[in-house]
Every structure is written in C-alpha cells, then in structure tokens.
Amino acid sequence: AEGSSHPLMDFALRFTPADSFAPGMTGLVRDFSDADFRQIRATYYGMIAEVDAQLGRVFAAIRARGEWDNTLIVFTSDHAEMLGDHFLLGKGGYYDQSQHIPLIIRDPEAAQRGERVINFTEAVDLYPTLLDELGVEPTHAADGASLRPFVSGNPPAAWRDAAHWEFDFREVASQAAETWFGHSSTQLNMAVIRTAEWKYVHFAALPPLLFDLTADPQCLNNLAGNPAYVAQQLAMAERLLSWRARHLDQTLALKELTPAGVVSRPVRAN
C-alpha cells in the first residue's frame, strides 16, 4: 500500500537492499520483520548514546581547560533517519522523519538556558549564525538568517513560516534509477516546501504530492490533483517556485565518486 502511494516510494521499496543498513542480511529493507526494525532502532539508539558519551568527554576537557564560558557549542546533523517508518531506512525523500534534525546551540554569553524554539530553521542558517556569533562580516550574501536572536532571547519579529529541502535520487554511475523511471539524471530530483499545515512536493518528472498535515501528519493521503485542493496546490507550487529560483545550481551534480574514479555525465536537454 505504501509503495502504491507514489512512484518514488515504489522504487525505494522495490530496490533498497537490506545489506545497505545491516551487513550480512539478504533481501530488501521492505522484507524486514518488526523484530528486525526494533533491533535496528535499538542499535541506533545505542550509537546515539555513544555520541552523547563522547561529547561528554569533549565538554569535560573544555571545562578542565577553563574555557567552558568562552566556547560556543553548536550540535546538529546533516540528516535524520527513517528508522523503519514507512518501511524505510536511511535518509532522503519527502517524509519529515529523515529531515527533522537536531540543532542545539549553547552561547556562553546568553543568559537563558534550556529554551526550546519551535520556529522553522534550515541548515543554511548555520553559516550566518556562526558569523553573527563571532562578530564577523560575511563576504557574500547568505541564503539563511542568523539564529542568534533566538539564542539571546529576542526572537525576530519576522521569520520564515516554512522549511524547504531537496532530494536527488539520480544514480549517475549505474543509471539504475534513470533506467527504471525512463528519465535523464537531471529529471530525478524533487523539492519540498513544508509549512505548519501543508506539505507540497514537486518532482521534475514525477507526479506532485500535497499533504494536509493537520489531518494527515504521516503523509498517507496525497491531495495533489484533487479538484477541491487545486487552489492550495497552486499557492504552494508558486511559493516553492519562487524559493527554488533563488537557489538552483547544477555545478557538480552530474559527477559521482566511485571506486573506479569520477564518473561524469553530460547535461542533456529535457
């Protein structure tokens, strides 16, 4: 049923091998039992505990040097983990589970501690935040905005009301995805805009997705193409188009590092 919800899900469930995540296992991730997923989650939580323990050692060393109150700490990640939700493991796609990542900032000069910010933030905010914290002027315009006002307890009056991300599912070297979908490498990508109430996913060559997150937080009911939601779909698509027009770049996208070296594909007109 999950696989029939969209061609990308069908592809992921058909071809994601188990040994990509659990060495020595055979078959596909979709064939994992509930016990398999539980074991993987337990192992993952154990790895998180290991990270916590090692960070504790780092923090203890900073304190021992007397630099705790002179040290800015930013803890984050490049992606999250599906951990079996929607019968998937790893990262990527349009589900929140693989995109909702930790971001913890400790500014030694901030008076408050333990505050939780629920506003949308993006990875592009880290660059201007670090420059702002260090008092360094940027040499070029940043895509994001500094989070220091949140850290200092003075949230900005105006802030973004949506998060955005992109996912590229091309397979330049093997061309497996290109062959399956019947599209060129430059067509195998998607972009997402997610507000508090709606999520819209636009694909270069596959059908779009629209989810009402209030009624359907797990994104199981695609409303794209439903006549009752045409206006909402159009509004979200226009917002995404405006955002994407400011950020698109294919400079190194058609190169892939492989054991045999760099594989490069020419840009084809679509």
Side-chain angles (χ1 to χ4, degrees):
E2 290 265 16
S4 66
S5 65
H6 192 269
L8 181 59
M9 273 295 290
D10 180 43
F11 177 76
L13 292 173
R14 281 179 185 268
F15 298 111
T16 304
D19 62 5
S20 291
F21 303 95
M25 291 195 71
T26 59
L28 302 172
V29 168
R30 67 180 293 172
D31 299 325
F32 279 13
S33 66
D34 183 63
D36 292 331
F37 281 125
R38 286 176 179 272
Q39 179 59 63
I40 286 176
R41 291 188 187 109
T43 303
Y44 190 80
Y45 296 152
M47 294 168 69
I48 291 175
E50 174 68 7
V51 171
D52 286 346
Q54 298 304 325
L55 285 174
R57 295 179 62 198
V58 173
F59 297 157
I62 294 173
R63 286 191 176 96
R65 291 171 60 93
E67 298 291 348
W68 184 247
D69 290 329
N70 298 319
T71 303
L72 171 69
I73 295 172
V74 179
F75 177 82
T76 188
S77 175
D78 58 337
H79 63 84
E81 165 62 49
M82 292 300 297
L83 273 185
D85 287 349
H86 300 278
F87 306 96
L88 298 173
L89 293 173
K91 61 181 179 178
Y94 47 85
Y95 294 117
D96 285 8
Q97 286 92 333
S98 71
Q99 307 297 335
H100 192 183
I101 65 176
L103 175 58
I104 301 173
I105 301 176
R106 182 190 183 273
D107 182 344
E109 297 180 356
Q112 61 185 32
R113 292 285 183 267
E115 294 293 324
R116 181 170 181 261
V117 177
I118 62 172
N119 300 70
F120 285 114
T121 58
E122 298 179 337
V124 291
D125 295 329
L126 292 177
Y127 165 70
T129 299
L130 292 175
L131 294 188
D132 195 8
E133 289 280 359
L134 297 172
V136 176
E137 290 294 324
T139 57
H140 64 276
D143 290 325
S146 174
L147 299 171
R148 193 178 187 193
F150 292 107
V151 177
S152 62
N154 299 296
W159 190 254
R160 70 169 65 91
D161 63 352
H164 312 78
W165 68 86
E166 297 175 312
F167 177 52
D168 187 319
F169 48 99
R170 73 189 79 189
E171 297 182 3
V172 175
S174 70
Q175 294 285 286
E178 287 80 347
T179 300
W180 176 261
F181 290 110
H183 296 300
S184 66
S185 296
T186 53
Q187 291 177 298
L188 299 185
N189 59 77
M190 47 157 268
V192 182
I193 178 170
R194 187 224 195 272
T195 67
E197 296 84 19
W198 296 93
K199 179 188 292 185
Y200 175 70
V201 189
H202 194 89
F203 293 83
L206 301 180
L209 294 161
L210 177 69
F211 300 107
D212 178 351
L213 299 178
T214 302
D216 179 27
Q218 292 302 320
C219 299
L220 298 174
N221 182 25
N222 179 23
L223 301 175
N226 185 322
Y229 295 92
V230 168
Q232 182 63 44
Q233 180 178 340
L234 179 60
M236 295 293 284
E238 289 181 342
R239 285 191 57 178
L240 181 60
L241 180 60
S242 297
W243 171 83
R244 191 171 170 82
R246 296 193 300 269
H247 300 284
L248 185 62
D249 185 0
Q250 293 275 359
T251 305
L252 297 175
L254 294 179
K255 298 182 186 295
E256 182 174 334
L257 288 175
T258 74
V262 177
V263 174
S264 180
R265 301 283 178 180
V267 176
R268 298 203 317 243
N270 296 323

